[in-house]
Amino acid sequence: MKNLDSVFAAYVVGWGVFFVFYLTIAKRISNLRAELDRLKNTLPRAK
Amino acid sequence: MTKRIIFGGVAILLVIAAAYAAFFIAPEERTMGLIQRIFYFHAATAWAGEMTFFVCFVANLLYVWKRQPKYDWLSVSSAEVGLACITVVLITGPIWAHPVWGIWWTWDARLTSTFVLWLLYVSYLLLRTLVEEPDRRAMLSALFGIFAFLDVPLVFFSIRWWRTQHPQPVIMGGSGSGSGLDPTMSKVFFFSVLAMHMLAAFLIVERYILEKMKSELDFLAREVETQ
């Protein structure tokens, strides 16, 4: 099983990049949704 | 929301299935052995990255033509996803290269043009942070995005036009007719390409939703200010 560590590292790091990228998007969407709700409540005609 | 969850679930399942196929279905390559299995992830991610940059390029052209914000949202979304893909390519490539070549990196045409591609799209995203006015930001970044895309064909053809340390093409332009890959390897590779494209498409959709919400927030913030 020569180079198993390298293959494992490539897949884990690669998936990690995509996972972290997705988490940042999900976090930003969650923050924006909260801010949108707050603003909609501020605007009477948007209620 | 449910459609997005299903889409994401399918993309993740395909990526897991592609990894399973790369490890347990594809035959072992004779000279490189186990390390060659990185190829299925590395090359498929590179193809997905180049496709997302193509989407960005088309969106940039459409923005310049029609000046509709939705094309700007699509271009920044696909540029970010493409950048994530090329980051993965630039990480997994050296992990493969070190045991095979004995070096992590060399400045050959393929590696250098890929690194330049990464820098171009980092610059594209940085440029967007420097301009505050939305229409001007969208137009400037669309023009820069069209210019940045010129490097994508250079990356693709670099191993066809020049002799490089990077392996010569085994698919689309390999020696002889058709693919130079074993048929099972070829099937696993194209399945990996499908999986990475699905993942990229899912991430673009999610990132597009974020950009659309940002625009709604800006609109509402202006409404609040005027009251």
Side-chain angles (χ1 to χ4, degrees):
Chain A
M1 283 299 197
K2 197 181 163 199
N3 295 319
L4 181 64
D5 52 346
S6 295
V7 178
F8 186 71
Y11 275 83
V12 168
V13 173
W15 284 345
V17 168
F18 286 118
F19 183 65
V20 169
F21 179 61
Y22 175 72
L23 281 186
T24 62
I25 295 174
K27 179 95 172 70
R28 284 184 284 173
I29 286 178
S30 163
N31 290 344
L32 278 180
R33 189 162 286 139
E35 184 68 7
L36 271 172
D37 289 345
R38 190 187 66 76
L39 277 175
K40 277 178 184 167
N41 289 332
T42 313
L43 276 173
R45 64 190 175 90
K47 279 180 185 175
Chain B
M1 187 71 180
T2 316
K3 280 182 190 169
R4 280 167 57 201
I5 292 169
I6 293 170
F7 189 14
V10 169
I12 289 166
L13 283 177
L14 280 175
V15 170
I16 292 168
Y20 176 83
F23 279 94
F24 301 109
I25 296 175
E28 189 148 305
E29 207 268 345
R30 262 175 288 171
T31 49
M32 282 185 275
L34 187 65
I35 196 77
Q36 185 268 344
R37 293 180 195 277
I38 291 178
F39 159 79
Y40 302 103
F41 185 42
H42 171 79
T45 308
W47 281 31
E50 287 173 3
M51 182 53 75
T52 58
F53 287 145
F54 179 69
V55 172
C56 178
F57 172 68
V58 172
N60 285 326
L61 286 176
L62 286 170
Y63 182 82
V64 172
W65 182 26
K66 300 198 168 180
R67 309 284 170 100
Q68 291 176 4
K70 64 180 178 184
Y71 297 120
D72 181 53
W73 304 340
L74 180 61
S75 68
V76 66
S77 306
S78 47
E80 264 193 27
V81 175
L83 194 62
C85 289
I86 297 303
T87 303
V88 170
V89 169
L90 287 173
I91 293 170
T92 54
I95 293 175
W96 170 86
H98 189 253
V100 178
W101 296 344
I103 49 169
W104 293 99
W105 183 267
T106 181
W107 294 100
D108 82 351
R110 168 53 75 88
L111 276 68
T112 306
S113 57
T114 306
F115 183 60
V116 169
L117 185 70
W118 187 84
L119 288 176
L120 281 167
Y121 280 91
V122 167
S123 309
Y124 170 89
L125 295 176
L126 280 176
L127 174 70
R128 295 182 64 88
T129 64
L130 298 175
V131 186
E132 292 232 342
E133 205 272 306
D135 292 339
R136 192 159 171 263
R137 178 178 60 218
M139 179 52 77
L140 278 175
S141 58
L143 293 173
F144 186 81
I146 291 166
F147 164 74
F149 182 76
L150 294 177
D151 192 39
V152 172
L154 196 67
V155 171
F156 185 80
F157 288 109
S158 57
I159 52 172
R160 291 160 177 85
W161 289 343
W162 298 291
R163 288 185 67 82
T164 54
Q165 176 90 15
H166 186 281
Q168 296 298 298
V170 287
I171 293 166
M172 290 174 71
S175 57
S177 58
S179 165
L181 279 181
D182 166 272
T184 311
M185 285 180 169
S186 194
K187 281 178 194 151
V188 171
F189 173 70
F190 282 109
F191 182 69
S192 302
V193 169
L194 171 74
M196 293 316 296
H197 275 75
M198 280 290 284
L199 181 67
F202 167 68
L203 290 172
I204 288 174
V205 169
E206 291 294 303
R207 184 61 185 79
Y208 182 89
I209 289 165
L210 171 68
E211 205 59 32
K212 193 177 170 189
M213 285 173 75
K214 267 190 198 173
S215 177
E216 282 172 22
L217 187 69
D218 286 345
F219 176 76
L220 277 177
R222 279 196 298 272
E223 289 272 296
V224 170
E225 275 175 21
T226 53
Q227 286 199 354

